[in-house]
Every structure is written in C-alpha cells, then in structure tokens.
Amino acid sequence: MFMDATLVRIGHGVELHHQQGQREAARDVFAQVWDEVGGERGDPLHVCVLAHAMADVQDDVHQELLWDLRALAAAELLTDADVARAGVPMSVASLYPSLHLNLGECYRKLGDLELAREHLHHAQAGIGALGDDPYAQLIKGGLERLARLLSSE
C-alpha cells in the first residue's frame, strides 16, 4: 500500500478507468492532480506515474505518445530511494518495461515500426526487473502481443 497521498489519488483515477470503466472521470482526476503537482516540474515519481496513467485515458494516439514520453523522461530522474520513500514496493528498473511497452504500442499505432521495435527491445531487455506477479504477467503478455503484431507488419 502506498504511503504517498498523491500516488493514492492517482491510484483512485486508475481504478476509475480500469475497474469502473469511467475513462472521462479518470482523466479529470489525473488533470486535477497534474495541476496540483506542478505538471512536468513536479516530483519525478508523481510525474512518471501520473503521465503513465494519463496516457491510458487519451483518445488521440499523439496525445497518448506525449504523455508516455513525459512518463519516461520523469522515470529517468528517479532513484530507488525516491521510490522507497513514497512507499512503492518496486525498483525504478521495474517501471521501464511498462513504459517502453506503451511507447512501442504508440509508435506501432502511428506506423513507425522501427521505433516500435526499438521500444519493444528496451522493454524486453528490462523484463528481468519484474517479479512473477500478476503485474509482471500483464506486462509480459503485452510484450508478447506487441512482438506478434510487429512481426506481422
């Protein structure tokens, strides 16, 4: 369980989207939190997690890509100590497979198969940072799906 109140609010938005199917409500929560944390100038962990979640509720793939790129840029500023202070039970390295998976999927949708494959490769290279829990299985399944799609294009 997160100790960080901002991450808890982001988690609420994720739940609205994924468990309750309320995409627009989730987007509203994320936009409010984005303003409160100071946007891209905010705490890198908040920016990373929030941008990663915000990407998932975009209707336009270009906007989705923009948010995913923000998430990746913020992740590059993080340390494991930052993540631990927030009560997040994972390493920074474990964020990268999902971030790269989402970027690979965006680039695939946009028809840039070279960049899609590059991000797929980065995600696959970092998969060892994940455990063997439902989250890891979700990411691994997404990577397998993306690899199949890219091999047929």
Side-chain angles (χ1 to χ4, degrees), residues 10 24 43 45 48 66-67 77 87 93 105 109-110 123 139 148:
I10 295 167
E24 192 68 37
D43 174 89
L45 180 59
C48 177
L66 176 66
W67 285 104
L77 302 174
E105 184 60 29
K109 290 177 191 174
L110 291 169
I139 301 305
R148 277 192 312 273

Side-chain angles (χ1 to χ4, degrees), residues 8 11 55 63 65 100 103 121 128:
V8 170
Q63 287 300 308
L65 176 61
H100 284 292
L103 283 163
H121 174 74

Side-chain angles (χ1 to χ4, degrees), residues 7-68:
L7 294 179
V8 170
R9 289 188 56 217
I10 295 167
H12 173 69
V14 170
E15 183 179 304
L16 284 171
H17 176 226
H18 291 288
Q19 275 78 45
Q20 299 176 25
Q22 298 181 32
R23 186 179 172 109
E24 192 68 37
R27 190 174 13 229
D28 291 344
V29 168
F30 298 149
Q32 182 180 16
V33 175
W34 183 256
D35 289 341
E36 291 171 9
V37 301
E40 291 179 70
R41 294 180 312 279
D43 174 89
L45 180 59
H46 295 156
V47 172
C48 177
V49 174
L50 183 53
H52 193 45
M54 183 64 109
D56 289 344
V57 296
Q58 297 305 305
D59 296 324
D60 177 79
V61 70
H62 294 93
Q63 287 300 308
E64 181 181 354
L65 176 61
L66 176 66
W67 285 104
D68 282 329

